[in-house]
């Protein structure tokens, strides 16, 4: 459920008319609903009730400081994958003991930053990383709390670019090698082994891969405890999928996911961490765009809009589907036609939807792409010197710009001419 509904024939975000936001900031823009974001967090958090747990929002999905602050105030921890994200989490007021650091390529600088300013744990992904982290911790006279990310070799049955738990993926260490690497970690002076980490991919719409992976983690917990490691924390990753299409089969509910967690690892007496990103932010955001031209092609209708692949890359990168809604509610019996909805960028990949059945939208009118709250604004670029579009946050009947659109001058001034030119 979200808070983007038609009221009196106009699409609203909570109690704000999207036409009012458009009149203030222009199109295209992203808009997020505080109520939806909060609701998603609460539903997920409640699904883990009864287990000692911390929901660590994977902020790579949407790292606007305002979004982080909403979740942090609800009690979320953060999962970060870079020094920049770590610094953002801190700027949003998240204490170090609620930040976990993931990622296959952490640098010494990033390790230093987190160790000096406070960290809940590093999710270590390789032996070389373990060795460097040990060195960095010793050089600071500190001890790095770690889990090791194991690769359980399960097929998450998701898009190849977002699958991470198969043996051919670059993430984590093979679960068969875990005892060996934990033994090395256990002997290191700068390392404190606190648990196990697993993350098998993103937009997973079937609970079985989670169950299989978590069963393997439960077995490994027992084995490692037998080897003398004090395994007290399990980071179970993120990845639970969301509905991108209203029509197709709905992904599993958080409560059913929570049951899988309870069934597989609930008896181990471990603190549980989950790292949802998309699930919290995805359906809490829309991308709103104006139709520039309707162009009739050879047997094809093109709807050319002012948003493009540089603003929302998911369709081009992952063949992703985003539902499209007109901002002005169409009559129930309005005619529908097939449209290719495309952006202005000079690449064929700049296509949001092919042969999509829609009611026609006149030039100058607006549409909204649903499910754009995660992996939208954060993956945007200024390709074609198109400014990064504004992000707007709605709360009840209020709205605020939470990142502004740069002017052309601001964009161009970032370039520096060398003195010899
Ligand atoms: C991307 C990522 C997540 C979040 O994935 P979602 O599908 O957005 O829930 C969580 N943990 C790690 C390690 C990730 O890389």
């Amino acid at each position: 459920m979200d808070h983007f509904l038609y009221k009196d024939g106009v699409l609203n975000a909570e109690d704000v008319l999207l036409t009012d936001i458009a009149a203030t900031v222009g199109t295209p823009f992203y808009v997020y609903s505080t109520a939806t974001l909060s609701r998603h967090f609460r539903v997920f958090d409640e699904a883990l009730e009864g287990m000692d747990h911390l929901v660590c929002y994977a902020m790579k999905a949407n790292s606007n400081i305002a979004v982080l602050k909403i979740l942090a105030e609800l009690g979320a921890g953060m999962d970060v994958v870079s020094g920049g994200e770590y610094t953002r989490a801190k700027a949003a007021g998240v204490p170090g003991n609620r930040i976990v650091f993931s990622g296959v390529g952490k640098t010494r600088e990033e390790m230093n930053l987190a160790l000096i300013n406070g960290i809940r744990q590093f999710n270590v992904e390789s032996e070389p990383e373990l060795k460097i982290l040990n060195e960095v911790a010793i050089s600071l006279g500190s001890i790095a709390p770690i889990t090791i990310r194991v690769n359980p070799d399960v097929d998450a049955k998701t898009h190849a670019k977002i699958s991470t738990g198969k043996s051919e993926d670059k993430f984590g260490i093979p679960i068969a090698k875990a005892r060996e690497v934990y033994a090395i970690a256990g002997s290191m002076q700068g390392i404190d082994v606190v648990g196990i980490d697993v993350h098998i991919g993103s937009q997973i719409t079937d609970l079985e891969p989670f169950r299989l992976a978590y069963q393997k983690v439960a077995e490994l917990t027992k084995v490692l405890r037998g080897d003398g490691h004090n395994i007290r924390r399990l980071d179970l990753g993120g990845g639970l999928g969301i509905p991108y299409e209203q029509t197709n089969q709905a992904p599993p509910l958080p409560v059913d996911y929570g049951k899988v967690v309870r069934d597989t690892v609930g008896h181990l007496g471990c603190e549980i961490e989950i790292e949802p990103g998309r699930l919290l932010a995805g359906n809490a955001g829309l991308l709103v765009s104006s139709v520039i031209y309707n162009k009739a092609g050879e047997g094809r209708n093109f709807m050319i809009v002012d948003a493009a692949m540089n603003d929302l890359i998911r369709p081009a990168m992952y063949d992703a589907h985003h539902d499209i809604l007109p901002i002005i509610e169409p009559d129930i019996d309005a005619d529908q036609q097939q449209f290719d909805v495309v952006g202005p960028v000079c690449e064929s990949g700049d296509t949001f939807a092919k042969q999509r059945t829609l009611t026609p939208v006149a030039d100058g009118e607006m549409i909204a792409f649903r499910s754009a709250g995660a992996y939208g604004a954060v993956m945007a670029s200024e390709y074609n010197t198109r400014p990064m579009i504004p992000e707007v946050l709605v709360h009840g009947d209020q709205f605020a710009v939470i990142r502004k659109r740069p002017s052309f001058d601001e964009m161009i001034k970032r370039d520096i001419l060398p003195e010899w030119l």
Side-chain angles (χ1 to χ4, degrees):
M1 202 202 94
D2 62 42
H3 293 76
F4 302 110
L5 299 169
Y6 289 108
K7 286 179 199 163
D8 300 326
V10 180
L11 193 61
N12 280 47
E14 300 189 24
D15 300 321
V16 178
L17 295 164
L18 292 179
T19 44
D20 282 351
I21 301 176
T24 308
V25 305
T27 58
F29 63 89
Y30 278 104
V31 58
Y32 310 129
S33 154
T34 304
T36 309
L37 196 61
S38 307
R39 180 175 180 281
H40 289 168
F41 177 82
R42 287 205 198 89
V43 168
F44 194 75
D45 198 44
E46 281 163 18
L48 301 165
E49 221 162 51
M51 288 181 282
D52 183 10
H53 71 275
L54 182 67
V55 176
C56 293
Y57 170 57
M59 65 181 271
K60 71 175 194 269
N62 183 328
S63 55
N64 189 291
I65 292 277
V67 168
L68 301 186
K69 194 132 195 287
I70 292 168
L71 292 172
E73 285 179 0
L74 291 170
M78 299 285 154
D79 173 42
V80 306
V81 293
S82 71
E85 284 197 351
Y86 177 87
T87 307
R88 267 183 191 274
K90 278 305 192 81
V94 183
N97 65 11
R98 280 203 271 147
I99 303 175
V100 304
F101 207 136
S102 298
V104 291
K106 303 176 196 78
T107 63
R108 283 175 186 269
E109 291 72 26
E110 289 172 327
M111 293 170 180
N112 260 302
L113 179 72
L115 280 170
I116 291 168
N117 295 288
I119 189 80
R120 180 178 181 84
Q121 96 223 3
F122 293 90
N123 294 332
V124 171
E125 299 223 15
S126 66
E127 282 184 68
E129 181 192 337
L130 186 61
K131 184 168 158 281
I132 299 297
L133 181 59
N134 182 45
E135 282 174 24
V136 172
I138 290 171
S139 76
L140 292 171
S142 93
I143 294 179
I146 67 140
T147 69
I148 294 176
R149 178 168 176 181
V150 293
N151 185 325
D153 195 18
V154 302
D155 184 355
K157 303 194 187 77
T158 185
H159 191 280
K161 284 186 188 159
I162 49 176
S163 171
T164 62
K166 283 188 280 183
S167 56
E168 70 256 38
D169 295 323
K170 70 179 177 182
F171 301 95
I173 60 155
I175 198 160
K177 245 189 117 185
R179 283 180 85 177
E180 193 185 312
V181 181
Y182 271 91
I184 297 168
S187 71
M188 287 174 160
Q189 194 194 326
I191 297 290
D192 177 23
V193 174
V194 302
I196 304 171
D197 173 45
V198 70
H199 170 73
I200 56 173
S202 201
Q203 187 51 19
I204 299 168
T205 52
D206 177 359
L207 288 175
E208 273 322 290
F210 287 117
R211 186 185 300 280
L212 288 172
Y214 299 168
Q215 276 165 352
K216 291 190 180 189
V217 168
E219 282 161 30
L220 182 63
T221 302
K222 288 178 197 153
V223 171
L224 292 177
R225 281 177 171 169
D227 289 346
H229 300 286
N230 181 7
I231 302 297
R232 51 201 185 270
R233 195 180 283 169
L234 301 177
D235 184 330
L236 300 178
L240 189 56
I242 61 168
Y244 277 97
E245 294 184 55
Q246 301 295 304
T247 48
N248 70 356
Q249 209 191 340
L253 295 171
V255 61
D256 295 323
Y257 172 84
K259 189 168 181 308
V260 169
V261 172
R262 204 170 277 112
D263 289 352
T264 51
V265 300
H267 59 289
L268 294 167
C270 285
E271 193 180 4
I272 305 296
E273 291 164 354
I274 315 274
E275 305 167 345
R278 187 189 312 269
L279 188 85
L280 302 185
N283 277 322
L286 303 179
L287 167 60
V288 178
S289 179
S290 296
V291 176
I292 309 176
Y293 299 115
N294 278 284
K295 171 172 149 181
E298 201 61 36
R300 254 182 145 83
N301 298 315
F302 291 99
M303 191 183 278
I304 304 171
V305 300
D306 64 359
M309 63 188 290
N310 69 297
D311 303 310
L312 177 66
I313 204 170
R314 298 190 66 260
M317 190 152 158
Y318 311 115
D319 310 308
H321 173 104
H322 287 268
D323 275 349
I324 297 172
L325 295 176
I327 299 299
I328 304 299
E329 189 172 21
D331 293 336
I332 304 174
D333 54 1
D335 269 352
Q336 295 204 312
Q337 294 171 26
Q338 304 233 292
F339 291 92
D340 281 13
V341 181
V342 302
V345 165
C346 315
E347 297 207 20
S348 315
D350 188 17
T351 298
F352 289 111
K354 280 203 164 126
Q355 298 296 92
R356 185 75 63 86
T357 305
L358 297 170
T359 47
V361 177
D363 295 2
E365 298 286 317
M366 288 179 276
I367 59 170
F369 296 93
R370 290 175 58 91
S371 315
Y375 306 107
V378 284
M379 295 181 91
S381 77
E382 291 180 344
Y383 187 40
N384 281 208
T385 308
R386 294 170 46 87
M388 300 276 268
I389 66 177
E391 293 176 275
V392 175
L393 182 69
V394 168
H395 178 47
D397 61 2
Q398 311 174 66
F399 72 92
V401 175
I402 56 172
R403 188 179 69 193
K404 76 186 239 319
R405 191 192 313 274
S407 68
F408 293 146
D409 272 353
E410 283 166 334
M411 292 165 72
I412 294 165
K413 275 196 189 125
R414 279 188 233 130
D415 295 359
I416 301 166
L417 279 173
E419 60 188 27
W420 65 81
L421 259 183

